[in-house]
């Protein structure tokens, strides 16, 4: 249940390089959009609900079951793929080759996004 709770963006790095590799138009990148971004996570075993405000995609709610498919939005573009546990981390591997790893490290929620040889990270503190 380490993922459950409300989280606010604390810091981020490398996201612009990943977004460019992902094909996002540079004129549509607004790092300020991440400031104040948040996510509320509920967890029941392998079942998760994420409610995001601001951040890397549009605000809204999506659900997923680890071990099954995942669909959503990343950098304003559609994302679909599969999810799996890697120890205590959730790894979503997209059909496009993008990899999103969610983990809790040192009391912070960490989203790590990998695509096109680039790595971006976004850390969240408990709200």
């Amino acid at each position: 249940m380490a993922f459950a709770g409300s989280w606010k963006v604390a810091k981020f790095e490398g996201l612009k390089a990943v977004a460019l590799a992902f094909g996002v138009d540079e004129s549509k990148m607004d790092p300020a959009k991440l400031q104040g971004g948040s996510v509320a996570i509920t967890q029941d075993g392998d079942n998760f609900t994420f409610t995001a405000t601001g951040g890397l995609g549009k605000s809204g709610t999506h659900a997923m079951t680890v071990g099954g498919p995942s669909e959503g939005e990343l950098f304003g573009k559609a994302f679909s793929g599969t999810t799996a546990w890697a120890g205590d981390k959730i790894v979503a591997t997209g059909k496009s080759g993008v990899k999103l790893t969610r983990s809790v490290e040192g009391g912070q929620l960490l989203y790590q996004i990998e695509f096109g040889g680039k790595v971006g990270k976004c850390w969240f503190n408990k709200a």
Side-chain angles (χ1 to χ4, degrees):
M1 296 296 239
F3 290 95
S6 294
W7 303 86
K8 286 193 85 71
V9 171
K11 64 180 181 176
F12 51 90
E13 66 182 34
L15 295 177
K16 182 175 181 178
V18 176
L20 287 171
F22 201 58
V24 176
D25 183 337
E26 190 167 4
S27 68
K28 295 184 179 182
M29 290 182 210
D30 182 6
K33 187 177 179 185
L34 278 175
Q35 300 300 333
S38 65
V39 62
I41 301 172
T42 58
Q43 179 183 359
D44 181 13
D46 289 342
N47 301 306
F48 288 81
T49 301
F50 300 87
T51 302
T53 304
L56 304 177
K58 67 181 177 182
S59 296
T61 299
H62 82 277
M64 70 172 199
T65 299
V66 178
S70 179
E71 294 188 12
E73 190 175 282
L74 185 62
F75 299 120
K77 299 180 88 172
F79 171 89
S80 66
T82 58
T83 59
W85 287 106
D88 58 357
K89 299 177 180 183
I90 302 168
V91 178
T93 305
K95 293 176 183 176
S96 64
V98 68
K99 180 178 170 183
L100 171 60
T101 303
R102 295 177 175 103
S103 61
V104 176
E105 300 178 16
Q108 289 185 303
L109 176 66
L110 171 61
Y111 280 20
Q112 179 170 299
I113 305 163
E114 300 172 56
F115 185 77
K118 308 295 183 194
V119 178
K121 297 179 181 183
C122 187
W123 290 266
F124 299 76
N125 289 331
K126 278 274 188 165

